Amino acid sequence: MYGLSPDLAVTAHGPIRLVELNRPDQLNSASEGMHTALAEVWDRIAADSGARAVVLTGRGRAFSAGGNFEVMTRVQRDAAFRDQNVNEARRIVTGMVRCPLPVVAAVNGPAVGLGCSLALLSDLVLIAEGAHLADPHVQVGLVAGDGGALVLPLIVGLARAKELLFLGRKVDAEDAVRLGLANSVVPKDAVLEEAMKFARRLAELPVQALRDTKRAVNLHLEQAMSGVQEAALLAERESMHSRDHVEIVQKLLSKG
């Protein structure tokens, strides 16, 4: 649907658009095609007159492991591709914040790095038992520019956001709800079904009232974007070819 990369599968279920990260054998780490599709899909959904709500999930046992080493290595060496990657990251964040439809994340497994950002930028988050959230950008020598620095302080406050971003600590499902990073914990085999039920409830609400309420609430994120997001993305772009990041990725590749 929408003519996007098959690494991001989009299907219509009545008024619901199910968006699935579709690289299950790679734990839904973001290929070049998936990253580009994530930058484009939100405008396509916004223009879809039959759509009323979105469910975002990952196929297989992970929500998303975040970036993958093939893309990271190319980003390190190719300045034009690095700029493309950062521009797409900007479009992913702004696209999710400004998407008029409510987005329900069904976090069916680990949501790491970009995967964590995708979950936290959603409007409602259902997380499976045994799943976790983590943003380990700093651990691999990157600035947490594609969502974490923007949204985490608004949810958990500065001190806890710094702890999570500096240390890349895993947040399990129960702690995610306690900290306000997720709405509820759901049995793993029921998380997508429950998210679809939630989306159907949202799809039945008065359209304009729901969309304008989302837009009003997300003005908090818009204000943060105007002061935080661009600086964070530009800093991440520089860290993408830093010595620390290059050396860490090389070490991780040698272990694989």
Side-chain angles (χ1 to χ4, degrees), residues 94-214:
T94 57
M96 293 192 73
V97 170
R98 294 174 182 169
C99 180
L101 282 70
V103 179
V104 182
V107 180
N108 54 303
V112 178
L114 175 61
C116 182
S117 295
L118 292 173
L120 298 183
L121 287 165
S122 300
D123 300 302
L124 298 161
V125 181
L126 306 186
I127 186 168
E129 294 173 347
H132 68 264
L133 305 170
D135 192 334
H137 275 76
V138 173
Q139 310 302 300
V140 295
L142 291 173
V143 174
D146 62 357
L150 171 72
V151 72
L152 271 172
L154 294 177
I155 299 173
V156 300
L158 283 173
R160 187 57 60 86
K162 290 173 184 176
E163 175 191 351
L164 296 177
L165 292 172
F166 293 175
L167 301 177
R169 181 170 72 81
K170 292 181 181 179
V171 180
D172 65 25
E174 290 73 18
D175 273 351
V177 172
R178 181 178 61 81
L179 292 171
L181 300 172
N183 295 88
S184 60
V185 181
V186 181
K188 186 174 182 61
D189 60 358
V191 65
L192 179 56
E193 178 184 356
E194 290 301 314
M196 292 294 287
K197 287 180 182 177
F198 216 140
R200 283 191 285 272
R201 289 175 58 193
L202 294 170
E204 293 171 355
L205 295 171
V207 174
Q208 200 61 44
L210 178 60
R211 293 186 178 192
D212 283 349
T213 298
K214 172 176 174 172

Side-chain angles (χ1 to χ4, degrees), residues 235-249:
E236 182 172 11
R237 184 180 66 186
E238 292 307 305
S239 70
M240 285 173 171
H241 58 111
S242 68
R243 178 180 295 179
D244 282 342
H245 178 56
V246 171
E247 290 179 352
I248 290 168
V249 170

Side-chain angles (χ1 to χ4, degrees), residues 85-86 89-91 93 143 145-147 228-238 240:
N85 190 272
V86 171
R90 182 184 296 109
R91 290 172 62 198
V93 174
V143 174
D146 62 357
V228 173
Q229 187 64 18
E230 194 62 22
L233 282 172
L234 294 178
E236 182 172 11
R237 184 180 66 186
E238 292 307 305
M240 285 173 171

Side-chain angles (χ1 to χ4, degrees), residues 61-74:
R61 60 190 180 92
F63 183 76
S64 174
N68 75 72
F69 293 133
E70 179 182 343
V71 172
M72 287 182 189
T73 301
R74 185 178 170 196

